[in-house]
Amino acid sequence: MTTHHTSTRGEPRVALVTCAELVDLDPDDRLVLAPLAARGIPAETAVWDDPDVDWSSYDLVVLRSPWDYALRRDEFVAWAASVAALVNPADVVRWNTDKRYLAELSAAGVPTVPTSWVEPGESWQPPAETGEYVLKPAISAGSQDTGRYDLADPEHRDLAVAHVRRLSDAGRVTMVQPYLRAVDTEGETALLFLAGPDGLTFSHAIRKGPMLTGPDLGPDGLYKAEEITARTARPDQLAVAEKTLAAVPGGTRQLLYARVDLIPGPDGEPVLVELELTEPSLFIGYADGAPDRLAAAIATHLARRT
Ligand SMILES: Nc1ncnc2c1ncn2[C@@H]1O[C@H](COP(=O)(O)OP(=O)(O)O)[C@@H](O)[C@H]1O
Ligand SMILES: [Mg+2]
């Protein structure tokens, strides 16, 4: 049986989940606090691995910036499963925190960046052909442990082998992708969807500048700096995003938010690079009304639970 706990004043309790390195949230997420308060929803921040938090005391637990889970994803997924009021929900978190979901989406017909996978312990040599490639862990966020290699350069080939070995030795799966060079000019397009009365609804889009300048040379913080600007989504981008969302296991009604990240492929058509259902930056500061739309989305999910 489920019981709902509300404060003595009867106000709903909402937690915005972050990590210990970011106790005051990402500044962009703070923009939702005022529109939430205006709706009578006082939100608190909570650190996902803080043992003193009583998660059952919240009516809604909203994942926002738990960006330190990549090296302990099992712990994170187990925590998610223990929080009944979590959005996005635990099953989605389990599915979405391992980028092997890209293979499933590709099989479902979503145009997806071509990816091959290196299991820990498997030996790996760079492809014989030249060209630029990206190596990154299947479980990661914030562009960490992600590198770009020019296979015409013997030094890069050696560094690529070392990168895969470093990930393998840590028991991690490596993703190998062609470098989509259109990102250098057109950038990456992130399409943001938020829950509305009729389900998940497109809210806004942003452009993210290219992130990768060369080989990965080791750890460098929680996330890498991003260059973000507002962008208008094109119909072909929206179509790929809708196709992506239609393939999410369990459907999209359970989702508070979704972010679909696209880069043009070699033929200029958008391809999926990442589907962010766990801890996306939502970039609500880059679009008129987006902070209020996120507050409304939270209110919608809250109303379903109280
Ligand atoms: N195949 C690729 N081609 C070009 N750029 C890429 C590619 N894969 C990743 N990147 C760059 O690296 C960044 C981080 O990779 P991504 O797959 O989004 O992982 P995460 O954001 O979870 O760290 C992207 O925002 C993009 O700029
Ligand atoms: Mg990304």
Side-chain angles (χ1 to χ4, degrees):
M1 178 182 137
T2 311
T3 48
H4 290 292
H5 307 261
T6 48
S7 70
T8 45
R9 282 165 300 159
E11 274 175 338
R13 293 195 71 206
V14 172
L16 302 178
V17 180
T18 185
C19 58
E21 276 187 69
L22 215 56
V23 284
D24 289 323
L25 299 173
D26 186 56
D28 189 70
D29 282 324
R30 297 193 63 80
L31 299 173
V32 77
L33 297 176
L36 276 179
R39 289 167 187 272
I41 304 171
E44 300 161 37
T45 63
V47 172
W48 73 270
D49 59 350
D50 177 349
D52 294 333
V53 178
D54 176 10
W55 299 102
S56 69
S57 70
Y58 292 103
D59 300 294
L60 195 67
V61 178
V62 179
L63 284 168
R64 289 289 57 240
S65 46
W67 293 338
D68 59 359
Y69 73 76
L71 296 179
R72 41 199 186 120
R73 182 231 179 193
D74 289 349
E75 188 189 336
F76 182 66
V77 166
W79 165 80
S82 76
V83 181
L86 193 71
V87 279
N88 288 335
D91 286 351
V92 171
V93 168
R94 186 183 315 104
W95 182 74
N96 185 245
T97 45
D98 185 330
K99 291 192 176 108
R100 280 178 282 196
Y101 68 73
L102 284 174
E104 269 175 60
L105 293 174
S106 175
V110 176
T112 302
V113 57
T115 306
S116 57
W117 311 83
V118 187
E119 301 291 328
E122 205 180 306
S123 78
W124 181 79
Q125 284 302 312
E129 67 266 32
T130 55
E132 288 195 286
Y133 282 80
V134 172
L135 301 176
K136 57 188 165 187
I139 298 169
S140 71
S143 302
Q144 291 304 299
D145 303 298
T146 299
R148 169 180 171 185
Y149 299 88
D150 178 357
L151 296 187
D153 179 340
E155 196 190 332
H156 276 215
R157 296 181 80 85
D158 290 346
L159 287 168
V161 171
H163 186 170
V164 175
R165 188 175 307 125
R166 199 160 60 243
L167 292 175
S168 283
D169 287 350
R172 306 176 76 181
V173 173
T174 305
M175 305 167 70
V176 184
Q177 299 175 343
Y179 183 75
L180 302 175
R181 59 181 50 262
V183 77
D184 292 334
T185 48
E186 180 160 336
E188 179 173 355
T189 303
L191 295 96
L192 285 304
F193 292 76
L194 297 172
D198 305 319
L200 204 61
T201 306
F202 176 69
S203 168
H204 61 285
I206 59 96
R207 174 194 194 272
K208 184 189 288 193
M211 299 294 294
L212 306 178
T213 50
D216 176 59
L217 300 171
D220 49 7
L222 194 58
Y223 57 88
K224 289 183 186 166
E226 296 173 340
E227 181 196 288
I228 308 295
T229 49
R231 162 167 276 180
T232 303
R234 292 194 318 259
D236 60 333
Q237 294 169 327
L238 282 164
V240 173
E242 296 289 356
K243 190 161 192 174
T244 302
L245 293 172
V248 172
T252 57
R253 202 184 125 75
Q254 57 183 332
L255 303 180
L256 177 68
Y257 49 67
R259 196 184 81 202
V260 180
D261 293 345
L262 307 174
I263 297 176
D267 61 0
E269 299 294 323
V271 299
L272 181 70
V273 173
E274 189 178 11
L275 169 61
E276 258 281 18
L277 302 179
T278 306
E279 67 322 303
S281 292
L282 296 173
F283 304 117
I284 56 176
Y286 293 85
D288 283 346
D292 195 56
R293 287 194 291 279
L294 178 57
I298 290 171
T300 298
H301 273 260
L302 192 57
R304 284 194 207 157
R305 289 175 182 274
T306 49

